Amino acid sequence: MPSAAEPAAPVDSTELDLFRETVRRFFAAEAEPHYTRWEADGIIPRDFYRRMGAAGLLCVDQPEEYSGGGAPFEFAMVVLEEAGRMGYLALASNLTVHSDIVAPYLLHLGSEEQKRRWLPQMAAGECIGAIAMTEPGAGSDLQGMRTMAIADGDGYVVNGSKTFITNGQNADIVVLATKTDPAAGAKGTTLFAVDTSLPGFKRGRNLEKIGLHAADTSELFFDNLRVPVTAVLGRIGGGFGHLIDELPRERLALAVTAVGHAAGALEKTIDYVTQRKAFGAAVANFQNTRFELARMKTDLEVHRAFAEKCTRLYADRRLDVPTAAMVKLASTEMEGRVTDACLQLFGGYGYMTEYPISRYFADARIQRIYGGTSEIMKEVIARSLVGR
Ligand SMILES: Cc1cc2nc3c(=O)[nH]c(=O)nc-3n(C[C@H](O)[C@H](O)[C@H](O)COP(=O)(O)OP(=O)(O)OC[C@H]3O[C@@H](n4cnc5c(N)ncnc54)[C@H](O)[C@@H]3O)c2cc1C
């Protein structure tokens, strides 16, 4: 990995384009025929992760010594952008958690034993990752979390619950945020890499959502869950700092997905308006349609440029917390504007679930909420400008 002073080598754009083609072909062959069924089932089958692993599309920028792809960071972002572009936002969210949150947490914070235990299996798709921070009473305000891990002999006993956890039904490993010292405030937060097969780990419902239907989003419960001390991830009491350190990648991943998702919605809309006729002309011929398409394309490209800049900053280890908040805020708000205006150009057909634009529209709504809401992004940015 480069140091902060040493930028990563520039990425070969031909190789990146070839990789993008590979990703597109893979999704067209392996996801497209099944996606509607996955939505009906509310979950993507584990076997699909194995296929992604076999194709080298999981953990693509993880080091080869842990069976990752060893590719530059930009390649990891291409997987998400393409999943978004094809309208598979639920898949993109699952992959973000697996490859772009849980795997980097393990790589950056894990002991050698933790890395060797989990990362190769995650790259192979044999083991699926989730991150559990949110609780019924603690979302934006994570300091309010109540899940407790109490030191006991050679380990910890965990009690509490989490909600809205992506990959919650499929997960084999959960990066779990707990309080180990409630009196210490933020300094009393500790992360654990939890093996979900342990007694006391229980999965709740696969939650029903207005969109993102193929993603398994779940409640999790911990009932005297005993974890060994070797499951501590990072420093005891250092959990909050670790979360903040890792947030830029999560937020950038959501922003890149937003750009891909908006681009896919716009492509579908251009196809539709050039074919659909009204008043004896293609809908594309109306000045309103032309101006809307022009406005959306411009909106998209401005945000693509910012996302690409932030991708480079991250690759060079220079993406800071406020800039990551800016790119997440800007790109996901743009995604909301674009998917809404695209649906409008489909008229009533846009509201029918058989038209994929309806999925783009419904799925996009979550992007302004998870990974930190737009309001929290504004707070983070404002704090960097004028303090608290
Ligand atoms: C589909 C889905 C998947 C998710 N996946 C995960 C996951 O994998 N892991 C995980 O841990 N969590 C996950 N989440 C949780 C998600 O990150 C939270 O829902 C989000 O952070 C908001 O928290 P909340 O829902 O408790 O809303 P609240 O915090 O209750 O917010 C309610 C409203 O108040 C606003 N608000 C709150 N504080 C402020 C403030 N200081 N200033 C101004 N406005 C404020 C918010 O912006 C929002 O509009 C997921 C959620 C969903 C819906």
Side-chain angles (χ1 to χ4, degrees):
M1 292 284 271
S3 72
E6 181 196 338
V11 168
D12 181 327
S13 61
T14 312
E15 275 183 27
L16 200 62
D17 290 345
L18 284 173
F19 181 70
R20 190 182 295 281
E21 268 313 306
T22 305
V23 174
R24 282 183 186 179
R25 273 202 306 275
F26 178 87
F27 285 147
E30 301 287 349
E32 184 61 27
H34 312 295
Y35 203 81
T36 313
R37 182 169 46 80
W38 298 346
E39 288 198 297
D41 293 347
I43 194 163
I44 296 172
R46 297 178 60 90
D47 190 48
F48 179 73
Y49 290 87
R50 291 191 195 100
R51 288 203 295 280
M52 280 207 71
L57 300 180
L58 296 176
C59 306
V60 297
D61 66 328
Q62 290 285 317
E64 288 171 22
E65 65 174 307
Y66 301 115
S67 310
F73 173 66
E74 284 82 347
F75 286 67
M77 293 298 96
V78 162
V79 176
L80 301 180
E81 188 182 345
E82 289 307 314
R85 196 181 68 80
M86 294 183 78
Y88 309 146
L89 196 75
L91 172 61
S93 74
N94 290 14
L95 294 176
T96 297
V97 167
H98 179 86
S99 294
D100 297 290
I101 302 179
V102 175
Y105 268 75
L106 288 164
L107 182 70
H108 298 150
L109 302 170
S111 63
E112 198 52 35
E113 183 202 328
Q114 286 170 326
K115 291 183 210 179
R116 297 223 172 269
R117 174 167 181 203
W118 299 111
L119 286 174
Q121 286 197 69
M122 286 183 71
E126 293 294 340
C127 156
I128 298 174
I131 180 154
M133 298 183 272
T134 305
E135 299 184 2
S140 303
D141 182 12
L142 275 182
Q143 307 249 21
M145 79 174 78
R146 295 172 119 174
T147 295
M148 295 278 293
I150 304 293
D152 183 65
D154 58 354
Y156 286 80
V157 176
V158 183
N159 280 289
S161 67
K162 299 284 175 182
T163 194
F164 301 155
I165 305 309
T166 301
N167 292 341
Q169 296 293 314
N170 267 335
D172 305 282
I173 174 182
V174 174
V175 172
L176 178 64
T178 68
K179 282 270 166 81
T180 39
D181 182 358
K187 294 203 173 93
T189 307
T190 301
L191 304 180
F192 290 86
V194 174
D195 177 343
T196 63
S197 67
L198 290 173
F201 182 96
K202 293 186 183 139
R203 299 174 212 269
R205 288 178 300 145
N206 190 3
L207 301 166
E208 290 188 13
K209 309 181 288 295
I210 63 171
L212 228 60
H213 293 304
D216 51 319
T217 311
S218 308
E219 299 169 317
L220 301 178
F221 298 98
F222 320 109
D223 181 12
N224 286 323
L225 164 69
R226 173 171 275 283
V227 289
V229 75
T230 51
V232 171
L233 188 60
R235 281 183 298 108
I236 293 170
F240 229 83
H242 296 324
L243 292 175
I244 288 167
D245 289 345
E246 297 296 327
L247 276 173
R249 178 165 177 152
E250 172 177 357
R251 290 181 175 157
L252 174 58
L254 297 176
V256 169
T257 305
V259 168
H261 199 224
L266 188 56
E267 282 168 22
K268 293 231 158 2
T269 305
I270 291 168
D271 282 351
Y272 184 80
V273 296
T274 46
Q275 282 163 35
R276 176 77 177 166
K277 299 261 184 329
F279 297 96
V283 169
N285 289 355
F286 300 130
Q287 189 189 53
N288 176 68
T289 308
R290 302 169 64 77
F291 283 11
E292 278 295 271
L293 294 176
R295 183 186 61 74
M296 288 192 277
K297 177 70 174 163
T298 308
D299 207 4
L300 173 63
E301 293 306 328
V302 166
H303 289 87
R304 187 196 300 282
F306 187 31
E308 283 177 0
K309 175 184 167 181
C310 291
T311 299
R312 185 95 291 255
L313 283 174
Y314 184 88
D316 290 344
R317 293 182 168 191
R318 290 190 294 124
L319 182 65
D320 60 27
V321 169
T323 311
M326 284 181 225
V327 77
K328 199 260 176 187
L329 171 68
S331 302
T332 58
E333 293 282 338
M334 176 278 295
E335 177 188 17
R337 284 192 297 277
V338 167
T339 51
D340 183 60
C342 283
L343 187 147
Q344 187 70 16
L345 290 175
F346 276 72
Y349 294 95
Y351 205 66
M352 300 297 124
T353 52
E354 72 185 90
Y355 281 76
I357 198 68
S358 64
R359 184 205 286 154
Y360 280 85
F361 170 78
D363 286 356
R365 192 62 187 82
I366 188 56
Q367 291 258 95
R368 287 177 272 164
I369 296 172
Y370 61 18
T373 64
S374 286
E375 294 72 31
I376 294 298
M377 295 307 99
K378 290 178 193 165
E379 268 300 321
V380 170
I381 300 158
R383 208 174 296 155
S384 74
L385 301 175
V386 291
R388 273 188 189 275

